[in-house]
Amino acid sequence: LRSIRPDVLIMANVVGVGWQVAKIAKNNDVIVIQSLHDYYYLCPRMTLYYNGNACSKRCAGCMLLTRIRRSSPAYMDKIVAVSNFSRMRHVSSGFRTNNLADTLTVHNGLPDVVEVLPKKSHNQMIKFGFLGRISPEKGLDLLVRSLPHDSVLLIGGRVSPSEAERIEAISPGRVTFLG
């Protein structure tokens, strides 16, 4: 993060990387947006399913094994859930920013978080960072298509050469894969 210095970091899936990336980013004055696509912060299985059934409440194991993750919203500027159900499940479990208005629902997109973008001088590009598993359900295509004209996207995560080529073709010259 220090070497590429993104202005905004969008965290879509932090399994294998860790939520601590948000803390590092925040300590380097990066705006952090957590997009919730699963229940990583609430359940060690990330699904809130046990023995083939949806969990109606968090069990003692979930609370114990995800306790350390519950401090992570302190390092997030916005938390975006992809459904009202997911948002309310997280909020009712205490996973939200200090300002409840910064925990919102955006149905698989990010139009409502544009207000947190930094103001840049005329010739400066806004650097977005995407960190997570690169797969169709993450909405990376939509993110690349939605990039403001004065921005670039730095992507951290494993990607096949064909997928990298496909994503780069959407917005040539504005996407960089970091591995």
Side-chain angles (χ1 to χ4, degrees), residues 15 38-55 57-63 65-66 69:
V15 175
D38 57 35
Y39 296 99
Y40 168 83
Y41 293 100
L42 305 180
C43 171
R45 288 178 295 282
M46 300 180 300
T47 59
L48 290 176
Y49 269 80
Y50 185 70
N51 286 337
N53 297 305
C55 301
K57 62 180 182 173
R58 292 177 65 220
C59 65
C62 282
M63 289 190 282
L65 294 172
T66 60
R69 298 175 188 170

Side-chain angles (χ1 to χ4, degrees), residues 16-32:
V17 176
W19 64 266
Q20 296 87 346
V21 171
K23 181 178 181 180
I24 294 166
K26 201 72 199 147
N27 289 339
N28 284 280
D29 299 318
V30 175
I31 294 168
V32 178

Side-chain angles (χ1 to χ4, degrees), residues 29-169:
D29 299 318
V30 175
I31 294 168
V32 178
I33 301 170
Q34 173 65 60
S35 180
L36 300 171
H37 292 268
D38 57 35
Y39 296 99
Y40 168 83
Y41 293 100
L42 305 180
C43 171
R45 288 178 295 282
M46 300 180 300
T47 59
L48 290 176
Y49 269 80
Y50 185 70
N51 286 337
N53 297 305
C55 301
S56 60
K57 62 180 182 173
R58 292 177 65 220
C59 65
C62 282
M63 289 190 282
L64 177 66
L65 294 172
T66 60
R67 184 173 54 98
I68 191 75
R69 298 175 188 170
R70 301 231 358 228
S71 64
S72 58
Y75 306 104
M76 298 172 184
D77 294 286
K78 296 277 186 185
I79 299 173
V80 180
V82 296
S83 71
N84 288 326
F85 178 86
S86 175
R87 177 181 169 270
M88 292 313 300
R89 191 70 189 258
H90 281 85
V91 167
S92 68
S93 296
F95 188 83
R96 63 183 188 85
T97 61
N98 289 332
N99 180 356
L100 184 58
D102 289 331
T103 303
L104 45 106
T105 301
V106 178
H107 299 280
N108 283 316
L110 297 174
D112 292 343
V113 297
V114 171
E115 66 198 51
V116 302
L117 294 179
K119 305 296 184 235
K120 292 287 196 169
S121 67
H122 178 67
N123 293 331
Q124 289 182 308
M125 299 291 270
I126 297 171
K127 291 183 196 173
F128 286 92
F130 176 91
L131 179 63
R133 184 170 47 93
I134 299 168
S135 59
E137 68 271 13
K138 295 298 177 189
L140 191 54
D141 289 27
L142 179 61
L143 176 60
V144 172
R145 284 189 183 90
S146 302
L147 285 173
H149 69 281
D150 59 345
S151 65
V152 294
L153 178 62
L154 308 172
I155 300 173
R158 276 188 274 160
V159 62
S160 69
S162 61
E163 182 68 1
E165 185 177 310
R166 188 183 70 75
I167 296 291
E168 171 64 26

